[in-house]
Amino acid sequence: MDFTAGKLSNEHQEQLRSASESADPLSVSPLKISPRSPRSPKSPKSPKSPRSPSDRHNKVGSDRGSPLKNKKSSHSPRDGRPKKGGSGGKGTWGGLMDTDDVHAIDPNDPNYTSSEDTERTSTKDMVAAFEEYKKKAIILVEEYFQNDDITSTANELREFGMSCYDFYFIKKLVSMAMDRHDKEKEMAAVLLSALYAEVIKPQQVYKGFSKLLESADDFIVDIPDAIDILALFIARAVVDDILPPAFLAKANSSLPKDSKGIEVIKRAEKSYLSAPLHAEIIERRWGGSKNKTVEDVKDKINNLLIEYVVSGEKNEACRCIKDLNMRFFHHEIVKRAIIMAMEKQQAENRLLDLLKKTSEEGLINSSQLSKGFNRIIDNIDDLSLDIPNARVIFQSIISKGASEGWLCISSLKSLSTQLEKQEIDEKLVKEFKLKAQSMIKEYFLSGDIVEVSRILESENSSCLAELNAIFVKKLITLAMDRKNREKEMASVLLSSVCFPADDVVNGFVMLIESADDTALDIPIVVEDLAMFLARAEVDEVLNPQHMEEIGSQFFEPNSIGNKVLLMAKSLLKGRLSGERILRCWGGGGSSTNGWAIEDVKDKIRKLLEEFESGGDAKEAYRCIKELGMPFFYHEVVKKSLVIIIEKKSERLWGFLKECFSMGLITMYQMTKGFARVAESLDDLALDVPDAEKQFKVYVERAEAEGWLDSTFSYNRLGHSMENGFC
C-alpha cells in the first residue's frame, strides 16, 4: 500500500493499524488516500501534495505508518496494473471501446432495466438451443445410417421442434455422407428427397446447401474428392426437384471467386447437369436405381393409372406416385395419363382430375407437366393414326387444363405440325371464311364464347394452322369496322380460344399484309392494329419474342408493318400500360359484360382481405379463377404485396407462393406485379416509412423462389427496370 499524501491524523493511523492487524493480507487491495479528500477535513493543505513538483523527489519517506511499507507488489489476487491496451487497472472504467462485460447485471442498480436481462437470457437460450440441436442432429444422422428408417428419422426431426435450424441437419447429413461409402451417400440423397417440404421447408434446404458450398474449402482438407462429391449431391438435389436450377447461378454470384464452392458449381453444371440423359445417370451414380429400369418404372406408372381409373382413389394414386421417388420422370405420368384419357374418353375427367390434384399439391411440378404435354405434341401425328380426331381431343384437354389453372399454355409447343405443311383445298378455305364470318357476327350479338369454341372445333377438326390464322384475321378485321364493344369482345375471344401462338402470329402477319386494302375502308387501321397487337401481349396471347418475329417480316422503315410494330411497342412501354390497354375499349378485359376495371380491382381487394383475415385458401383460388382474367393477375400480386408490406403478412406471401406453384399466376404476371409496386413505393412510403427496405427483402425472396423474370431488376433508388426500360 502506497501512501504518498504525507502524514495522517493520529485517529486515522490508529484505525488503519488495527484494521491491518485483524485483516487477511491477501484481501488488502491498494488504496490511494488523497489529502484533499472531503472525508478528512482535518488534513491540512500540504506543499507536498501529489500535484507539487517537489513531491516527486520525496516519495521514499512518505510511507511511514504503512503496514506494507517498502513492498514492491500487492498481495491482492487481482492485478492492479494498467491493461495492455492502456485502459487502466482497478478503480478505472476501462477503455472507451471495451465491450466485454463479465459482470452480472445487478437488479438493484438504479439504471437496471428488465429488457437487458431478457435480451441476455434470450441470446443465451438461443445459443444453447442451437448447440443442443447440433448434438441431436449428429446422433440422428448416425442412427439413420445404421437403421435406414426414413419414417423414424422424420418423426424424430419433427420432435426436435426447431425447424429454424434444419439447415444444419442438411449440412451435417451431406457432410457426413461425403466421407462414407456410396451406400450412405444414396441414403442421404433419398432422405433429403423424402423430407423435402413435408418435414424440412424448402428455404432450409436452400440455406443448407448454401452452407455446404461455403464450407467446401474446409471439406477438401479431409476429403480429397470433396468437390466432385458435393457437386454430385447438388446435381442430385436439382434432379430430385428439391433445389431450383436457379440456385447454381445465385450461389455463383454470392461466393468469393477463388473459393472451392465456385469449382463445385462449375462441376455440377458442366459434368453432370449438362450431360445427355443426366437425370438417369445421376440417379444411378450411387447405385440408387440399379434394380429399377426405365421399363419397370413405365410398367408401374401404367398399372397405377389403370388401377386409379377403376377405383377413383386419388390419395392412393398420389401415394403410389410418391413411392416411385423419381420426380425427374413425372413427365411420363403426364404423358401416359393424357394418352389414356384420349383413348378412353369416359375416363378423361377422372384422369384430368388426378393431374389437377398432383399439380395443386406440388407433387408434379409445372415443368414436368409441360414436358409431358410437349412429348405428346411431338408425336401427335403418330397418335392420330390410332386415335381418330386426336388433335381435337388433345386441344380440348389443353383448354380444360388452362381454364382450370393447372396448365400454362405459354410453355407448350405449337400443336401444328412443323415438318410438313398440310395442303388445304381452296374450296375448303372459302367455305371456312364464310362460316367464320357468320360465326363472328353471331358472337358479336350473343357474346357466347363457349358456342364459338364448339363450332371452331367442329369446323376445324384437324386443327389446321392456316384456318386458325384465317379466323384471327377475320375476327379482327370485322371488329375494326365496328364499335369499341365489338373490339373488346374480339380481344376477349382471342384470349379464350387458346389458339397456338404461332397461328395467332400468322394471323397478325396476314392482317398487316392486307392493311393497305383495309385502310380504304378503315382510315385508322394502323392505330387499331397496333392496339390489337399490344392487347394480345397484355392478354399473354403473344409474348415479346412473337412481336419481334412479326417485326422481322416488316423491316422497311416506311412500311405499315413497321409503323404498327413501333406504335404497339410504344403503347406497351408507357407507365401503367397494362391497365390503359385493358381500358382502351372500355371493357376492362372481362368476358362478363358490365365489369369495369375498378369493379375487378375491388373484387381482388375484397378476396385478399377476406383471405388475410383467415379465409379459406381454396375459396380464394376459386375466386381468382372465376375472374377469368389471367392477363390481369398482376393486380393480385400488386395488392398482395401492398398488404404484405403494410401488415407483414406471411400468410399472404404463402398465398402468392401457392398461386405461382400451381401455375395460377405466371412469372410474367408476377414480375409485372412487383414492377408496379416498385413504381408506387414513394406513395406507399407515406404510410409505411420502411416500405422500400421491406420491398427489397421481398424482391430477394421472390428471386430465390424463382418468381421473377431475369429481365427484372431493382436498383437502390427504388425504381424497377424491366427489359432495360425504367
Side-chain angles (χ1 to χ4, degrees):
M1 188 177 296
D2 187 14
F3 295 98
T4 60
K7 296 182 179 179
L8 298 175
S9 66
N10 293 335
E11 182 182 354
H12 281 91
Q13 289 183 12
E14 185 63 31
Q15 290 176 357
L16 182 60
R17 186 180 295 109
S18 61
S20 301
E21 291 173 355
S22 60
D24 183 358
L26 295 177
S27 67
V28 179
S29 58
L31 179 64
K32 196 170 186 177
I33 302 177
S34 171
R36 294 175 180 269
S37 172
R39 300 180 196 176
S40 306
K42 297 181 181 180
S43 300
K45 292 182 180 180
S46 171
K48 296 181 179 180
S49 168
R51 297 178 181 269
S52 174
S54 62
D55 187 56
R56 295 177 185 172
H57 306 286
N58 299 318
K59 286 186 178 181
V60 176
S62 64
D63 288 334
R64 293 177 182 178
S66 170
L68 299 175
K69 78 175 180 178
N70 299 329
K71 292 290 182 181
K72 297 292 185 181
S73 60
S74 170
H75 291 287
S76 171
R78 298 188 62 177
D79 192 356
R81 292 174 297 172
K83 297 179 182 176
K84 187 174 182 180
S87 299
K90 180 177 170 115
T92 68
W93 286 358
L96 182 63
M97 300 303 292
D98 287 351
T99 57
D100 185 21
D101 184 11
V102 297
H103 301 289
I105 295 175
D106 184 7
N108 297 320
D109 191 327
N111 296 321
Y112 167 79
T113 57
S114 60
S115 61
E116 297 178 24
D117 215 358
T118 304
E119 289 173 6
R120 178 172 295 197
T121 304
S122 176
T123 304
K124 287 182 178 179
D125 290 345
M126 288 174 64
V127 172
F130 188 36
E131 291 300 323
E132 183 67 21
Y133 184 93
K134 287 182 178 180
K135 295 175 184 177
K136 291 181 178 180
I138 294 171
I139 296 172
L140 186 57
V141 172
E142 291 283 3
E143 288 179 355
Y144 171 67
F145 285 152
Q146 291 175 8
N147 57 35
D148 195 15
D149 189 344
I150 293 176
T151 304
S152 175
T153 304
N155 290 336
E156 288 191 42
L157 195 59
R158 285 193 188 97
E159 289 174 4
F160 286 1
M162 292 183 280
S163 59
C164 58
Y165 300 135
D166 283 346
F167 69 89
Y168 181 81
F169 179 82
I170 301 288
K171 179 183 176 184
K172 185 55 65 175
L173 174 66
V174 173
S175 61
M176 290 175 68
M178 286 169 63
D179 201 20
R180 304 200 180 201
H181 298 100
D182 284 354
K183 176 191 172 187
E184 284 79 11
K185 294 183 180 74
E186 177 63 23
M187 288 172 65
V190 171
L191 180 63
L192 287 174
S193 182
L195 297 180
Y196 178 76
E198 294 187 3
V199 180
I200 300 179
K201 295 178 181 177
Q203 297 90 336
Q204 293 292 316
V205 175
Y206 193 101
K207 186 176 180 181
F209 276 95
S210 298
K211 296 289 185 184
L212 284 165
L213 285 174
E214 292 170 5
S215 305
D217 296 274
D218 299 329
F219 293 146
I220 203 167
V221 176
D222 300 318
I223 309 169
D225 55 346
I227 291 177
D228 186 70
I229 297 173
L230 185 53
L232 188 53
F233 264 111
I234 290 175
R236 177 68 177 268
V238 173
V239 166
D240 287 347
D241 281 337
I242 65 175
L243 270 185
F247 170 83
L248 298 171
K250 293 182 183 300
N252 190 40
S253 62
S254 63
L255 290 169
K257 298 300 179 184
D258 58 343
S259 73
K260 296 297 181 184
I262 298 292
E263 294 182 33
V264 172
I265 293 170
K266 290 180 179 178
R267 182 73 60 87
E269 286 180 327
K270 296 179 180 178
S271 300
Y272 295 114
L273 294 173
S274 299
L277 301 175
H278 65 271
E280 292 185 26
I281 293 171
I282 293 170
E283 181 76 16
R284 298 182 183 184
R285 182 63 181 269
W286 293 318
S289 299
K290 61 185 178 183
N291 298 321
K292 190 189 293 183
T293 66
V294 173
E295 293 305 319
D296 291 337
V297 177
K298 287 182 178 180
D299 288 339
K300 287 185 178 181
I301 291 171
N302 202 48
N303 290 336
L304 79 85
L305 289 175
I306 292 172
E307 185 178 341
Y308 166 70
V309 169
V310 174
S311 65
E313 290 289 336
K314 292 181 189 175
N315 293 333
E316 179 63 19
C318 290
R319 187 191 64 78
C320 292
I321 293 172
K322 284 181 183 177
D323 289 345
L324 288 174
N325 195 29
M326 298 186 76
R327 290 173 180 262
F328 61 89
F329 203 55
H330 283 172
H331 57 81
E332 182 69 21
I333 300 173
V334 178
K335 177 192 170 187
R336 288 181 175 268
I338 297 299
I339 292 175
M340 193 176 290
M342 292 166 69
E343 290 175 338
K344 304 174 181 178
Q345 288 196 283
Q346 66 273 18
E348 178 182 312
N349 290 335
R350 181 166 286 185
L351 286 163
L352 294 184
D353 285 344
L354 176 63
L355 291 180
K356 180 181 178 182
K357 181 178 176 65
T358 55
S359 173
E360 289 177 346
E361 294 184 354
L363 185 57
I364 298 179
N365 62 31
S366 57
S367 65
Q368 293 291 313
L369 277 168
S370 299
K371 191 172 182 179
F373 273 84
N374 284 331
R375 288 180 64 194
I376 296 177
I377 291 172
D378 291 338
N379 297 291
I380 193 68
D381 292 328
D382 295 333
L383 286 171
S384 298
L385 300 176
D386 300 321
I387 306 173
N389 296 326
R391 285 178 177 272
V392 178
I393 299 171
F394 186 55
Q395 182 67 56
S396 68
I397 290 174
I398 291 175
S399 300
K400 287 180 182 177
S403 64
E404 292 176 358
W406 54 268
L407 179 64
C408 180
I409 292 182
S410 60
S411 64
L412 302 184
K413 298 178 182 178
S414 173
L415 188 56
S416 59
T417 179
Q418 298 175 356
L419 298 177
E420 52 181 282
K421 293 185 177 179
Q422 301 179 12
E423 295 294 332
I424 306 177
D425 184 55
E426 290 184 7
K427 185 179 179 181
L428 177 63
V429 172
K430 190 174 181 180
E431 290 178 355
F432 181 79
K433 285 182 177 179
L434 292 173
K435 290 179 180 178
Q437 184 167 342
S438 174
M439 190 191 319
I440 293 166
K441 287 180 178 179
E442 186 176 342
Y443 165 68
F444 285 155
L445 294 173
S446 66
D448 192 343
I449 295 175
V450 177
E451 180 65 16
V452 174
S453 300
R454 187 189 64 77
I455 298 174
L456 272 175
E457 287 180 5
S458 62
E459 294 297 333
N460 188 12
S461 58
S462 300
C463 293
L464 299 179
E466 187 173 338
L467 296 185
N468 288 339
I470 290 171
F471 182 84
V472 172
K473 178 189 174 186
K474 183 64 69 174
L475 173 66
I476 295 176
T477 301
L478 290 173
M480 285 194 298
D481 198 24
R482 285 171 167 73
K483 296 181 179 179
N484 285 347
R485 175 181 175 273
E486 285 77 12
K487 292 174 183 175
E488 174 65 22
M489 292 178 71
S491 288
V492 171
L493 179 61
L494 192 60
S495 65
S496 303
V497 292
C498 297
F499 283 159
D502 290 344
D503 298 351
V504 180
V505 167
N506 291 333
F508 273 101
V509 169
M510 293 166 64
L511 278 164
I512 294 172
E513 287 174 345
S514 61
D516 288 322
D517 296 333
T518 310
L520 299 175
D521 300 319
I522 308 171
I524 57 169
V525 63
V526 173
E527 290 83 352
D528 277 356
L529 278 179
M531 186 59 75
F532 270 109
L533 193 56
R535 177 64 179 269
E537 183 172 326
V538 170
D539 289 350
E540 293 189 333
V541 176
L542 300 177
N543 59 42
Q545 287 74 24
H546 293 131
M547 297 275 281
E548 297 301 325
E549 184 180 340
I550 295 171
S552 65
Q553 301 186 41
F554 305 98
F555 51 84
E556 294 181 10
N558 296 322
S559 66
I560 287 184
N562 192 46
K563 291 178 181 177
V564 169
L565 259 294
L566 289 175
M567 186 172 289
K569 288 180 179 179
S570 176
L571 290 169
L572 289 165
K573 287 178 186 176
R575 180 178 170 84
L576 301 176
S577 58
E579 290 188 29
R580 290 176 179 172
I581 292 170
L582 283 172
R583 295 178 182 180
C584 64
W585 293 310
S590 175
S591 58
T592 305
N593 293 330
W595 273 20
I597 199 73
E598 294 303 325
D599 295 334
V600 179
K601 286 184 175 182
D602 189 55
K603 288 177 180 291
I604 291 172
R605 179 184 59 79
K606 287 180 179 177
L607 77 87
L608 290 176
E609 288 177 351
E610 183 177 346
F611 172 78
E612 200 273 333
S613 62
D616 183 52
K618 290 184 178 179
E619 179 67 15
Y621 303 143
R622 185 187 64 77
C623 290
I624 291 177
K625 288 177 183 177
E626 284 184 353
L627 290 174
M629 299 176 69
F631 48 83
F632 197 56
Y633 286 168
H634 55 81
E635 180 71 17
V636 178
V637 179
K638 179 195 171 186
K639 288 194 179 297
S640 297
L641 280 173
V642 170
I643 296 174
I644 289 169
I645 291 172
E646 288 178 342
K647 300 183 179 181
K648 296 181 174 59
S649 173
E650 283 298 318
R651 179 175 167 81
L652 262 181
W653 183 264
F655 174 73
L656 285 180
K657 183 177 180 180
E658 285 300 315
C659 287
F660 182 80
S661 64
M662 69 171 59
L664 186 59
I665 297 179
T666 64
M667 181 182 289
Y668 176 80
Q669 294 293 320
M670 194 70 79
T671 303
K672 196 167 184 179
F674 270 82
R676 290 183 60 202
V677 174
E679 290 172 356
S680 61
L681 272 179
D682 292 337
D683 296 334
L684 188 57
L686 299 176
D687 299 320
V688 186
D690 64 339
E692 183 176 352
K693 182 179 178 182
Q694 286 193 57
F695 182 67
K696 287 180 180 178
V697 173
Y698 289 122
V699 167
E700 291 173 1
R701 288 177 64 180
E703 288 175 343
E705 296 280 0
W707 294 357
L708 302 181
D709 189 80
S710 57
T711 57
F712 179 85
S713 63
Y714 180 74
N715 64 17
R716 63 188 181 86
L717 296 177
H719 301 291
S720 70
M721 297 179 67
E722 198 170 357
N723 297 322
F725 298 99
C726 289

